[in-house]
Every structure is written in structure tokens, then in C-alpha cells.
Amino acid sequence: MEVFGSSGTRGVANEELTPAFVLRVAKAAGTAWQVDRVAIARDTRYTGRMLADAAASGLTSTGTDVDRLGIISTPGAQGYAEREGIPVIVVTASHNPPQYNGIKLVGSDGVELAVTDLEAIEETLLAGEFAVAPWDETGRVREIDGVRDAYIDELLAASDRETIADADLTVALDPGHGAGTLTSPEFFRELGCRVLTVNSQPDGKFPGRDPEPVPDNLGDLGRLVRTTDADIGIAHDGDADRAIFFDEHGEFVSGDAALAALAAAELESGETTVSAVNVSQRLVDVVTNVGADLELTPIGSTNIITRIEELEATGEHVPIAGEGNGGIFFPDYRLSRDGAYTAARFLELVAEQPVSEIVGPYDGYANIRRNIKYESTAERDAMLDAAANHAHAADAELNTRDGYRLDHGDAWVLARPSGTEPLVRVYAEARDADRATQLVDEMYETLAEAKVDS
């Protein structure tokens, strides 16, 4: 796909992602969907209203009525889509910096569109053949109230409120000025937690921290946990579809460790989980110990969603899936990444033991990454050919879903081209740092030699 990537389309607002472009995307969606009504939601970004207005204009020009949901998390918008049985356009750039914005397209079942559905809308967009309603049949717009309250009610109904409330937990929360500021504090309080917040004012310029919940952006949350003796720290990204945790000592918890802990609590023998090709050895080890199966996809939520739907269509049970960036699916609840719901499921574990003990079994893994730049497609192709030859010659299980991943049982190495920069990335993970370094260096040297010879 040229326009829609692994999680919608994004760019610097008013430069790459302009109102004119969003208008065309909305016209393409309205034409392809052929429905009477579509909702529009947005996160807190400064340019969100401008782009949501453009989307509303595009939809109404095709004769489609529009429900304006205002600011709400992506999973909250997905809940509205499922309840009302209508598609939703979400204006968000998720974890990207403040100057970015983007578009996610959600189906009437509340699920981000699968690859085939995105391709149909992209074909309409690129062809420029849009439905045009007569002036007196253009769509009408209405503002919808109570959407955030309905979302919180759904979360509460799906959570183990009694177990969490009985534990009398103190939660330090950093929603990062994003959409989660308007729902997560209330949700965790309704679960019976004492909630302390930082960066919890909705602000589209994200003055306290950038939207991505990575360690360099979360110093305030670690300090809040330590100074208040909180039981856990919870952070969201801009549209609150991710949850990242800190332990009771104010130490950052790797998203891979949290996913492994949740999977260990959720998976049973014979079940299946889905993750991307850069999946951590932590999850591989959990799957092996439980006797479950692991399916790998190209990186990105759209690819994971598509594979989950394919597996469930054949009768496979996928109780949990996701990536180590805090984006986790619980398909029995809803096929969406939901930072608030993920946090609630983790709080159920914290009610029984401290965070440090929950993730303790998943410490001690070493992750190494190196990047190698290329100046031309010839250099890139030469490096990828070398990676393929290296992979086929190795005594390891090969996965080519997204680059070349070699599983050695105790460790893995992956070489894949970046989707956003002129780089080939090399990742490796093992329990032993020397082992991970060795695997990365071997692959890197292979690529470097091929680049020189190209």
C-alpha cells in the first residue's frame, strides 16, 4: 500500500498531512463504505479539530451523515463503532511527536480495518473517483455526548473490580496530555484505586512529555511512583491504546516483560498468540513453557489484527496478542489495543503480588540493535540478498514475514529494512548479552560487506 501503512497514515500536520489530503481520504472512505453514517473522533493534538473538520466535510460531500465524538481514545472510538454498528475515522498520530497527526480507519465492528479493506479505500483514493451527493442530499453533522462515559462503563463491566478494589492499590498515572487524560483517571478510581497523576491535562502541544511512552519520556512518572510509594506506574501514548508500566520501586518495566507476564497468566496449552517478527524471546519462552503456539506477522497492528481474524476464522483461540511497545490485544474483550483495559488486566495481577515479582521471571534478557544506512536501492537490495543468503545457510528456523528472522531456540536475530528511513535494522535478543552481540555482529558484518561490494 502506498498511503496506509501498518497503522493508518501519518505525517507532519499541515505539511505532509494536510486538510486537503484528509478531505480526500474521507471522500474515499465514504465512497468505499457506502453507509449512511460514519463517526469521527480525535485525540488531543493541536491540529486535531482542523483535520477532523476536513474529514467531516469529505464525508458529508459523499452524502454520509457524521457523528462527531470529539476527543476520545482510539479504543473508546472503537467501542462506539461496535455499539452503533458504524465505521469511525480517528484523527490521531498515536505515539508520534506533537507536530504529527494521522488517520486511522475503524470498521463497523469496532476493529481497525484489515489490509484488504484498506487496500479498497486506497484504490478509491488514488483513482480519485468519489461519490458526489446532490446539494440537498449532502450529509448532516451531529455532536454526540456521553461517549467517554459509555466507554468507561464498558471497561468497568469487563474488569475484575472486586479483586482490584480489595487490594487497595495506589496508581501513579501519566496519560501524557493525550486522550487518556479524559478517561483513565476516572476509570482507575472507579476500580477502587487511589490515583495520582502527572501530565494529566489534555494539551495538544504535549508540554510535559512527548506522546511516546518510552523511558526517556517517563522520568516524571518514575519519580511520582518513588515519592508517593505507589504500587504501580501506568503510562499511555497520545491516543491511549498502549499501556507501559513502572514497578513499585519506580523502575521502568519493559513492554516485552509486561506482555510476557500477561501472556503467562492468560495462555493455556493448545491456544495461540500472535506477535510481530521482532517478538521478544520472553514471549517465545512463555509460549514454549505453556505449550501454546506463536504466530508471527510483519510489524504493525494492522498485520496482527488480520492474522488474529484469520486464525479465529479457522477455530483457533487467541486470548492475547500484541507487541512489546505496550500495544496488547485481548480479543475475547475486543479486537483492539486498549491501554486502559490492558492496565486493568495487569492490575488484577498486581492485586496478588508486586509488579517487580510479576515481571521478575522475564528479566535478564539482552536486546541489541544496530542500523546500517544505505544510499541507494542497489545497496539496500544487495544487503537484503546477503541477509537472505546468511539466513538460508544458518542452522536456525527462518521466518521471512518481515525481513529475515532466525530463531536459534535460545536466541534470535532479525534483519529488516526500515519502513520510514533508509536503514536496514539488525536486532537480536538472548539471555546472554555476548550471545546477542555475536548474532548482531555476524549479520551486520554480512550486510556491510555486501554494501561495499554492491
Side-chain angles (χ1 to χ4, degrees):
M1 290 185 290
E2 297 179 32
V3 177
F4 298 108
S6 59
S7 188
T9 183
R10 297 177 193 166
V12 176
N14 225 27
E15 294 180 17
E16 300 161 329
L17 198 89
T18 64
F21 173 75
V22 172
L23 179 89
R24 287 174 58 83
V25 170
K27 290 170 72 173
T31 301
W33 277 329
Q34 296 183 338
V35 296
D36 295 331
R37 188 162 56 105
V38 172
I40 297 175
R42 60 186 176 94
D43 66 17
T44 57
R45 289 172 188 271
Y46 187 76
T47 56
R49 181 182 293 275
M50 173 184 75
L51 297 176
D53 289 346
S57 294
L59 286 170
T60 54
S61 76
T62 67
T64 307
D65 291 338
V66 172
D67 290 359
R68 295 290 294 262
L69 308 185
I71 296 172
I72 189 168
S73 67
T74 293
Q78 290 175 287
Y80 184 82
E82 184 180 44
R83 289 193 304 274
E84 296 294 317
I86 62 172
V88 177
I89 293 177
V90 186
V91 178
T92 178
S94 189
H95 65 279
N96 287 94
Q99 66 268 31
Y100 282 76
N101 218 321
I103 298 292
K104 287 184 181 180
L105 300 177
V106 176
S108 58
D109 56 358
V111 179
E112 287 183 51
L113 295 190
V115 173
T116 53
D117 297 319
L118 285 173
E119 288 174 341
I121 292 175
E122 183 167 302
E123 288 175 6
T124 304
L125 173 65
L126 296 176
E129 298 176 353
F130 309 127
V132 178
W135 71 270
D136 57 348
E137 295 179 14
T138 54
R140 303 290 87 188
V141 178
R142 62 172 185 158
E143 305 286 337
I144 305 298
D145 296 325
V147 180
R148 292 192 291 267
D149 290 339
Y151 167 59
I152 292 171
D153 288 343
E154 282 188 338
L155 288 171
L156 291 169
S159 303
D160 188 346
R161 299 176 68 175
E162 183 176 355
T163 294
I164 296 170
D166 287 348
D168 193 26
L169 299 173
T170 297
V171 169
L173 173 66
D174 181 354
H177 302 294
T181 59
L182 300 176
T183 48
S184 284
E186 180 180 348
F187 170 52
F188 295 128
R189 290 187 181 105
E190 290 290 334
L191 285 176
C193 301
R194 175 177 178 241
V195 180
L196 309 169
T197 63
V198 64
N199 301 319
S200 193
Q201 304 77 31
D203 191 322
K205 294 184 178 179
F206 301 95
R209 69 165 173 90
D210 269 6
E212 187 169 15
V214 294
D216 287 348
N217 293 337
L218 298 176
D220 288 343
L221 180 58
R223 285 187 288 274
L224 182 61
V225 172
R226 290 189 292 273
T227 57
T228 61
D229 293 324
D231 296 289
I232 186 174
I234 301 170
H236 293 318
D237 58 339
D239 66 337
D241 65 354
R242 299 187 190 185
I244 287 291
F245 305 111
F246 277 67
D247 71 13
E248 71 278 13
H249 306 298
E251 297 296 325
F252 178 82
V253 173
S254 160
D256 287 314
L259 174 57
L262 286 163
E266 194 74 21
L267 280 173
E268 296 182 0
S269 177
E271 295 180 330
T272 303
T273 187
V274 180
S275 192
V277 291
N278 60 345
V279 64
S280 170
Q281 188 70 26
R282 298 166 174 84
L283 184 59
V284 174
D285 290 346
V286 166
V287 167
T288 300
N289 292 339
V290 170
D293 294 318
L294 173 63
E295 291 274 341
L296 299 183
T297 75
I299 291 171
S301 63
T302 299
N303 298 308
I304 292 175
I305 289 167
T306 299
R307 188 57 183 147
I308 292 171
E309 290 178 326
E310 291 171 350
L311 289 166
E312 292 188 334
T314 65
E316 295 280 343
H317 184 214
V318 184
I320 187 171
E323 299 175 275
N325 58 11
I328 300 177
F329 298 87
F330 293 88
D332 292 341
Y333 167 59
R334 178 176 291 127
L335 190 49
S336 69
R337 303 186 302 183
D338 190 324
Y341 183 71
T342 296
R345 296 301 297 268
F346 202 79
L347 287 174
E348 292 174 18
L349 304 182
V350 181
E352 304 296 332
Q353 59 180 325
V355 175
S356 60
E357 294 181 15
I358 294 169
V359 300
Y362 312 107
D363 290 337
Y365 290 78
N367 295 85
I368 308 293
R369 187 173 84 175
R370 296 182 70 182
N371 297 326
I372 182 166
K373 292 184 178 181
Y374 58 82
E375 303 296 333
S376 66
T377 55
E379 287 185 351
R380 181 198 63 193
D381 293 345
M383 287 193 289
L384 293 179
D385 287 343
N389 293 333
H390 178 85
H392 287 294
D395 182 18
E397 181 179 344
L398 173 62
N399 185 298
T400 58
R401 284 290 184 93
D402 187 2
Y404 299 90
R405 176 185 167 112
L406 292 167
D407 283 298
H408 293 269
D410 66 323
W412 59 268
V413 61
L414 167 68
R416 64 178 291 272
S418 167
T420 56
E421 301 175 82
L423 302 171
V424 176
R425 303 191 190 277
V426 182
Y427 315 74
E429 184 182 47
R431 281 190 174 272
D432 181 76
D434 290 340
R435 172 71 164 144
T437 301
Q438 173 198 3
L439 290 173
V440 163
D441 288 348
E442 287 176 354
M443 181 68 81
Y444 184 92
E445 290 166 8
T446 298
L447 300 183
E449 291 174 6
K451 175 183 173 182
V452 170
D453 295 339
S454 65

